[in-house]
Amino acid sequence: MDESDEPSLGMDLGPAPGAAAQAEYKVLARKYRPSDFTGLIGQEALVRTLSNAFATGRIAHAFMLTGVRGVGKTTTARIIARALNCIGADGKGTGPTIQPCGVCEPCRAIAESRHVDVQEMDAASRTGIDDVREIIEGVRYAPASARYKVYIIDEVHMLSKQAFNGLLKTLEEPPPHVKFVFATTEIRKVPVTVLSRCQRFDLRRIETPELMRHLGNIAEKEGVKIEEAALALVARAAEGSVRDSLSLLDQAIAHGTEEIITADVIRGMLGLADRGRVLDLFEKVMSGNMPEALTQLGELYDRGADPMAVLQDLLEIVHFLTRIKVAPGAEGFFDGASSEAKRSAEMAGKLSVPSLTRAWTMLLKGLFEVRDAARPVQALEMALIRLAYAADLPPTDKLVRDLMDGGAAPAGRGAPAPSGAPGSGPRMAVSNERPQAMAAVQPMAMASQAPVFKSLEDLAAFAQKNNAPLLRFQLENNVHLVKLEPGRLEFRPARHAPPSLAADLAQKLKDWTGTRWLVTVAREGGAPTLAEQKQAVKQARYEAVLQQPIVRAVLDRFPGAEIMAVRDVAGEDTAAPMPESDSDSDDE
């Protein structure tokens, strides 16, 4: 009995209007899935290697396909299965071919995922050793009708450790009639023992121009008119994924009601902002014009721009400006001939690399805040305000260097003011003028009163006095002094001394005295460190007190008693009874 003879429950109303058309419709990603290697775009290296392998008969027994989502891993696996089993349109094919016909029974059965000898397994849902045992048992039997038995395992990285171990032996020495094709987006999670047994192919992202041509051809076949700018937006949003781009194009065709799909339609559909307006926004933020920047951000948001998309565009602008800065003529976010590209070049000339890298860091931090915020647009506003206030700050290393040298760090923007507002520009100049003058005068005054260091104690005391406590600590605990004379310092570093200690000392001595010092490192010799000397003095005092008759009598009278401290009459010094060296040196 066929379907038409089956009894119906209730009245037979017949097929719903348009039901046949709806049942036949396939999304573009499935409709235009390649059936042979000529349909793969952007994977020339893979096609060339496989073509040569099939032509010479050097076909591997296992393939590992890796790449980001939607670049064609599963499609390539099915094409390989067809190429291995195609028998030609006339049914007389005798071996694997790089150009499967697509019309023979094996080709059609594999395309429809119904061939008994080509098994696809989703490792995301079948991860255990029991699933792999089915494969191990199945490889022992010859194919039912095909030339090769092919196992396609998608997302193979999700197999358990036991499943991978169970597959190793079969994967290394499979029967001649068995081929494995693995696909994964996380190649680093696949054990090396498995990778070494496979022929690996890295499927790359599709470049935007190539993806645009592909989408344009499909739109033409579908009878859809779409602007070049709209194609560019779809291709960029897909981030190199063919499947994502086709899904977006499918959505755009359904979304648009006009005769032609415009860039504005795509922006509204994806929640994108006009890139020229995002460039304006970045320019206002970096110049401190926050009132207008926030107003423009509000307008973008009201027009449907997604805060995450705006922030991602800002990051791409910063990356593009930095590339222009370090490599003039570099291409990227804007077309090289566009007015935005010329504006970007001018803007890059006004910004320093440190300010651009700081902007990148702050926007990247803001990306996670916007993603997790209950109100993303508010998080984006706060990120832009932070960036505006920090835009004219000096580099971090300069701030640290100025503070370590005892100078005043240049002041940043007190508050971003609108461009042209009274006092905005002069205020920045005035706030920086005095600290810079102080920093310029201070080294001269210090050089005119250059200190004289007669001992390591003098040097450590001077470091403490000049706000260099870390250097004082190193001088006291990690320096075995060999020689100290004007302009020269030689020492043996302790075991835990930092590698940069000699260079740090040379720089500080030059800053403090105004003259260049020769600081050398000795391999042996040197006096005990200051910490060791201090400890030795405490130990000597402890031993001297321990030999006092009255002290010995007390200790003998009270077994287990200990000397807790040794103090002089004035109470100016103390020593623990069993002093332990707090030095980091290697002299124990």
Side-chain angles (χ1 to χ4, degrees):
M1 182 174 64
D2 57 21
E3 294 181 0
S4 61
D5 296 330
E6 291 181 2
S8 61
L9 299 177
M11 184 180 296
D12 184 6
L13 300 178
Q22 292 178 0
E24 294 174 359
Y25 177 73
K26 282 187 178 181
V27 296
L28 297 181
R30 293 184 58 196
K31 184 176 180 179
Y32 292 97
R33 172 174 281 172
S35 59
D36 55 29
F37 288 110
T38 59
L40 286 177
I41 63 172
Q43 311 301 341
E44 291 78 9
L46 177 145
V47 174
R48 183 171 59 252
T49 303
L50 289 179
S51 298
N52 294 336
F54 275 68
T56 59
R58 304 176 65 88
I59 305 174
H61 65 270
F63 302 92
M64 179 69 69
L65 307 176
T66 179
V68 298
R69 70 189 187 282
V71 292
K73 298 183 296 298
T74 306
T75 297
T76 302
R78 292 174 180 172
I79 294 175
I80 291 175
R82 278 187 225 148
L84 289 169
N85 291 310
C86 178
I87 59 175
D90 55 1
K92 297 180 180 180
T94 59
T97 175
I98 196 64
Q99 295 177 335
C101 66
V103 297
C104 66
E105 176 56 26
C107 284
R108 287 188 288 110
I110 293 172
E112 297 169 5
S113 300
R114 58 179 175 82
H115 200 293
V116 67
D117 292 320
V118 178
Q119 299 185 21
E120 293 188 31
M121 186 181 96
D122 180 18
S125 57
R126 303 181 64 185
T127 63
I129 183 64
D130 292 336
D131 301 307
V132 171
R133 284 199 186 102
E134 294 181 14
I135 297 177
I136 297 173
E137 291 295 326
V139 299
R140 297 187 300 173
Y141 304 102
S145 61
R147 188 179 295 116
Y148 289 99
K149 186 175 273 191
V150 182
Y151 291 93
I152 300 174
I153 303 181
D154 201 8
E155 299 300 339
V156 68
H157 66 274
M158 301 190 73
L159 287 178
S160 65
K161 183 178 180 181
Q162 293 79 5
F164 273 124
N165 291 336
L167 192 61
L168 284 180
K169 188 61 178 177
T170 303
L171 186 60
E172 184 171 17
E173 298 178 358
H177 58 266
V178 173
K179 302 291 182 182
F180 289 96
V181 186
F182 302 125
T184 178
T185 54
E186 300 283 350
I187 191 65
R188 294 183 180 179
K189 295 182 179 179
V190 179
V192 179
T193 50
V194 173
L195 287 176
S196 63
R197 292 166 166 83
C198 301
Q199 192 172 86
R200 173 177 168 177
F201 293 97
D202 291 85
L203 280 69
R204 67 181 183 86
R205 293 177 184 269
I206 312 303
E207 298 294 336
T208 299
E210 190 170 10
L211 198 51
M212 288 175 60
R213 288 193 295 270
H214 182 62
L215 294 175
N217 292 335
I218 292 178
E220 185 176 354
K221 293 177 182 178
E222 292 289 314
V224 175
K225 294 182 179 180
I226 182 170
E227 290 182 350
E228 193 80 7
L231 286 176
L233 289 174
V234 172
R236 281 198 292 262
E239 298 180 341
S241 169
V242 180
R243 184 177 62 234
D244 286 6
S245 68
L246 291 176
S247 298
L248 291 174
L249 181 60
D250 223 340
Q251 182 180 351
I253 294 173
H255 183 82
T257 56
E258 297 82 4
E259 294 183 358
I260 183 171
I261 300 175
T262 64
D264 289 337
V265 170
I266 301 298
R267 289 194 190 96
M269 181 186 76
L270 300 179
L272 300 178
D274 181 84
R275 293 193 164 196
R277 300 198 66 184
V278 177
L279 183 63
D280 293 338
L281 175 63
F282 181 73
E283 186 175 20
K284 289 179 173 60
V285 170
M286 295 303 287
S287 63
N289 192 350
M290 281 311 298
E292 291 189 17
L294 294 177
T295 300
Q296 185 163 355
L297 176 60
E299 293 175 356
L300 291 173
Y301 183 70
D302 291 339
R303 293 182 60 185
D306 180 43
M308 280 290 289
V310 173
L311 194 48
Q312 288 169 344
D313 279 353
L314 288 170
L315 280 166
E316 289 195 45
I317 286 176
V318 172
H319 176 258
F320 181 56
L321 294 178
T322 308
R323 289 193 64 194
I324 295 177
K325 190 77 177 177
V326 300
E331 298 181 358
F333 192 69
F334 294 111
D335 180 18
S338 65
S339 59
E340 288 84 2
K342 296 177 182 177
R343 284 181 56 202
S344 299
E346 296 175 359
M347 193 182 303
K350 301 176 183 178
L351 297 172
S352 64
V353 173
S355 65
L356 287 170
T357 55
R358 184 190 297 115
W360 172 269
T361 302
M362 298 183 73
L363 289 174
L364 195 62
K365 181 177 183 294
L367 191 68
F368 298 100
E369 295 176 353
V370 171
R371 181 195 64 186
D372 299 332
R375 291 290 304 276
V377 67
Q378 294 179 352
L380 177 56
E381 289 179 352
M382 294 303 297
L384 296 182
I385 291 171
R386 282 202 309 267
L387 177 58
Y389 272 79
D392 66 338
L393 285 176
T396 305
D397 58 340
K398 187 177 187 305
L399 286 171
V400 174
R401 189 163 54 249
D402 290 341
L403 292 173
M404 293 294 290
D405 289 342
R413 180 185 289 115
S419 178
S424 62
R427 218 170 116 189
M428 289 170 55
V430 170
S431 64
N432 286 337
E433 183 177 359
R434 183 180 179 93
Q436 290 175 351
M438 291 174 61
V441 172
Q442 189 173 359
M444 296 178 59
M446 189 171 291
S448 62
Q449 301 175 358
V452 178
F453 304 116
K454 297 181 180 180
S455 64
L456 193 60
E457 291 89 340
D458 293 344
L459 187 54
F462 195 83
Q464 180 66 29
K465 181 180 178 181
N466 284 271
N467 299 320
L470 295 179
L471 186 61
R472 175 200 58 82
F473 176 84
Q474 299 296 342
L475 287 168
E476 290 181 349
N477 293 275
N478 290 324
V479 172
H480 296 272
L481 184 62
V482 176
K483 182 180 293 186
L484 177 60
E485 56 188 32
R488 183 181 179 187
L489 171 64
E490 183 177 1
F491 72 97
R492 174 174 63 87
R495 180 175 53 190
H496 298 298
S500 62
L501 181 56
D504 295 342
L505 282 171
Q507 182 62 47
K508 282 300 181 184
L509 287 169
K510 179 183 176 182
D511 294 342
W512 290 337
T513 63
T515 59
R516 184 181 297 276
W517 276 65
L518 177 63
V519 179
T520 57
V521 175
R523 292 182 177 273
E524 56 185 13
T529 66
L530 295 180
E532 291 171 345
Q533 294 176 26
K534 184 178 180 181
Q535 194 68 16
V537 171
K538 291 182 178 180
Q539 182 68 30
R541 296 183 63 195
Y542 172 80
E543 295 293 342
V545 170
L546 193 59
Q547 300 305 320
Q548 295 290 331
I550 188 172
V551 175
R552 294 303 310 169
V554 173
L555 294 177
D556 292 341
R557 179 68 179 81
F558 300 98
E562 297 178 358
I563 300 176
M564 299 303 298
V566 177
R567 297 187 178 89
D568 58 16
V569 176
E572 296 176 355
D573 193 18
T574 62
M578 295 296 293
E580 297 180 359
S581 175
D582 55 357
S583 169
D584 291 335
S585 71
D586 52 352
D587 297 338
E588 298 180 354

